[in-house]
Amino acid sequence: MESALVSRSVGSSFAAGAAAPRGCLPRPSRVATLSRAPARPLRAGPKDSILEVLAQDDMLNAAELVQWENGKSVNSIAASQGIRIRRHCRPTASLKEIEEELGAPHNILEKIIWDKEIEVAEGLAKKPLKEVMEAAAKAPPSRDFYGALEAAYKRNGVPALIAEVKKASPSRGLLRENFNPVEIAKAYEKNGAACLSILTDEKYFQGSFENLEKVRASGVKCPLLCKEFVIDKWQIYNARSKGADAVLLIAAVLPDLDIKYFLRICKELGMTALIEVHDEREMERVLNINGVKLIGINNRSLETFVVDTANTKMLLEKHGDSIREKGILVVGESGLFTPDDVAYVQNAGVSAVLVGESLVKQEDPGRAIAGLFGKELVH
Ligand SMILES: O=P(O)(O)OC[C@@H](O)[C@@H](O)c1c[nH]c2ccccc12
């Protein structure tokens, strides 16, 4: 049986306040109570049973239980899948206390995730899961992100464009002084973008959920990707409630069971999950997960910031056959600046591209699209 890692998601396990013991194991006292009296009888059948259980809205306690029974720390389970990013699982501890236990973060991605753990716990404290779930249920229906990419690729004969509304990034700093997210979004749509990606991380990318809401309310019709560092299901419901049609799930951060669980939640919400990989191991893991329809190959390492478009080619040379067999659509992500770059990743086998910097840095980000593709895109 696989280990349920979902409970390491801070909001779910440790929101009550007390610090979790080392290695992200659930608190023993809490689990002892649970094992005597689970919140609800586990109704799932033997096959896929953990996922069945987790999919029940109030079964977070069961996830804690599963992890406890497994007896492993979530970080050791993640490491066994080749994941280098560790979690601190101590949303109420100070950074100093966290660093005393784990040392300094190993890289920028780990730092972002450590901050995100605290941010999500705070969000959850302000707006409980039940509330974001209700808000998500009331949101206008989601749009078909995957379908929009597929149709645009067929229509234009070049990879469908996911154009990113991106103000800044840790690797490039401020990309655009005069940043109006709605104006940029409208210009992208007018010039043939199939979908839009809206950065919502504030601390590192100067994005916001307000930007997502504003774009959604502006009359833009393109499906919207919420570009976030998702570590907890709360964030997915929250994204849906603010108008997102798709979320990003980063394989360098999320163990398999989290990806499976989050995929299921996306399905229930009618959302597309874009699963991002950067290396061979992540690609192999993701290809072994049922229900994956959209894989993004990031040419930029989120750990070192090194960008290399040959990464897309290399991974597709190795895995293109099984990707095609499974009918998975691939998005080439990051570092694309010229028609040659786009042709290169198209020849490697991508059907869509995700582009931020090279569009957003130009005076007119809409006009920049024709420059990037070497031709006008049509809707
Ligand atoms: O600005 P670029 O190099 O065109 O990249 C866009 C997009 O791929 C990048 O923003 C991105 C890809 N995956 C991410 C994960 C988190 C934050 C950002 C990203």
Side-chain angles (χ1 to χ4, degrees):
M1 190 194 284
E2 240 167 319
S3 329
L5 298 182
V6 178
S7 66
R8 93 171 165 167
S9 306
V10 283
S12 33
S13 302
F14 306 122
R22 273 166 197 279
C24 299
L25 279 168
R27 295 185 297 281
S29 57
R30 181 136 170 66
V31 173
T33 327
L34 283 170
S35 40
R36 282 197 306 277
R40 215 205 265 173
L42 311 185
R43 334 183 207 102
K47 193 169 164 284
D48 229 3
S49 61
I50 296 173
L51 286 173
E52 289 293 340
V53 167
L54 294 178
Q56 296 168 32
D57 56 4
D58 60 350
M59 294 310 281
L60 297 165
N61 295 340
E64 268 185 319
L65 183 60
V66 168
Q67 188 188 82
W68 182 251
E69 282 180 346
N70 197 282
K72 280 193 196 168
S73 84
V74 289
N75 281 334
S76 71
I77 294 165
S80 75
Q81 295 175 15
I83 295 169
R84 292 177 294 277
I85 304 304
R86 301 162 300 160
R87 302 278 179 90
H88 59 71
C89 303
R90 299 178 63 186
T92 57
S94 70
L95 199 62
K96 191 163 164 278
E97 288 170 303
I98 292 166
E99 292 199 359
E100 266 164 24
E101 190 179 319
L102 295 173
H106 287 160
N107 54 54
I108 181 75
L109 181 57
E110 192 164 83
K111 173 87 177 91
I112 293 174
I113 297 303
W114 288 8
D115 283 338
K116 196 58 75 181
E117 289 186 73
I118 294 167
E119 189 188 307
V120 171
E122 286 167 359
L124 196 107
K126 275 194 219 125
K127 225 181 187 195
L129 181 64
K130 202 162 172 278
E131 269 181 39
V132 282
M133 289 174 82
E134 280 164 9
K138 281 193 204 127
S142 51
R143 300 169 192 189
D144 184 1
F145 191 91
Y146 178 94
L149 294 179
E150 221 182 10
Y153 183 43
K154 282 201 190 118
R155 195 167 56 235
N156 284 300
V158 290
L161 174 64
I162 307 170
E164 189 152 280
V165 176
K166 183 181 196 182
K167 182 173 180 185
S169 76
S171 61
R172 302 290 193 170
L174 187 67
L175 295 169
R176 191 179 178 87
E177 290 277 350
N178 194 345
F179 187 82
N180 181 331
V182 169
E183 244 173 50
I184 296 170
K186 285 188 170 165
Y188 283 159
E189 176 165 281
K190 191 165 155 247
N191 288 277
C195 297
L196 306 181
S197 162
I198 317 285
L199 253 321
T200 51
D201 177 79
E202 288 188 25
K203 186 163 180 192
Y204 296 92
F205 291 85
Q206 295 188 39
S208 69
F209 278 94
E210 204 192 324
N211 287 355
L212 176 64
E213 282 182 300
K214 274 195 202 154
V215 171
R216 184 71 203 232
S218 71
V220 159
K221 294 194 183 59
C222 287
L224 306 179
L225 169 72
C226 171
K227 197 66 164 332
E228 232 331 315
F229 295 87
V230 171
I231 53 172
D232 191 291
K233 71 173 175 180
W234 181 88
Q235 295 167 281
I236 304 177
Y237 290 105
N238 191 47
R240 181 78 274 276
S241 76
K242 313 263 184 198
D245 307 296
V247 287
L248 182 77
L249 302 176
I250 303 176
V253 170
L254 300 171
D256 294 354
L257 193 61
D258 279 346
I259 295 178
K260 290 179 193 172
Y261 182 34
F262 294 164
L263 267 171
R264 185 176 282 203
I265 290 169
C266 285
K267 197 169 176 196
E268 273 175 20
L269 291 173
M271 298 174 91
T272 298
L274 171 59
I275 320 279
E276 178 173 302
V277 304
H278 177 67
D279 64 23
E280 183 77 42
R281 177 102 192 247
E282 290 166 14
M283 179 66 98
E284 273 165 15
R285 281 176 47 218
V286 167
L287 287 175
N288 278 319
I289 295 175
N290 281 335
V292 171
K293 287 174 71 188
L294 193 59
I295 294 180
I297 300 180
N298 198 348
N299 294 311
R300 179 181 292 112
S301 159
L302 295 172
E303 295 177 39
T304 64
F305 292 150
V306 171
V307 182
D308 184 4
T309 46
N311 199 43
T312 295
K313 187 157 185 242
M314 187 270 289
L315 291 178
L316 287 174
E317 264 166 11
K318 289 216 167 134
H319 300 282
D321 288 346
S322 82
I323 286 170
R324 275 184 292 277
E325 241 166 60
K326 291 173 195 274
I328 293 170
L329 209 136
V330 177
V331 183
E333 299 180 358
S334 310
L336 304 173
F337 289 85
T338 65
D340 280 352
D341 293 339
V342 173
Y344 176 82
V345 291
Q346 180 171 12
N347 288 336
V350 311
S351 322
V353 288
L354 173 55
V355 184
E357 180 178 345
S358 71
L359 301 176
V360 96
K361 267 197 130 173
Q362 298 195 37
E363 172 90 41
D364 182 341
R367 292 288 321 142
I369 292 177
L372 174 67
F373 286 87
K375 67 173 202 174
E376 307 266 341
L377 302 184
V378 293
H379 265 298

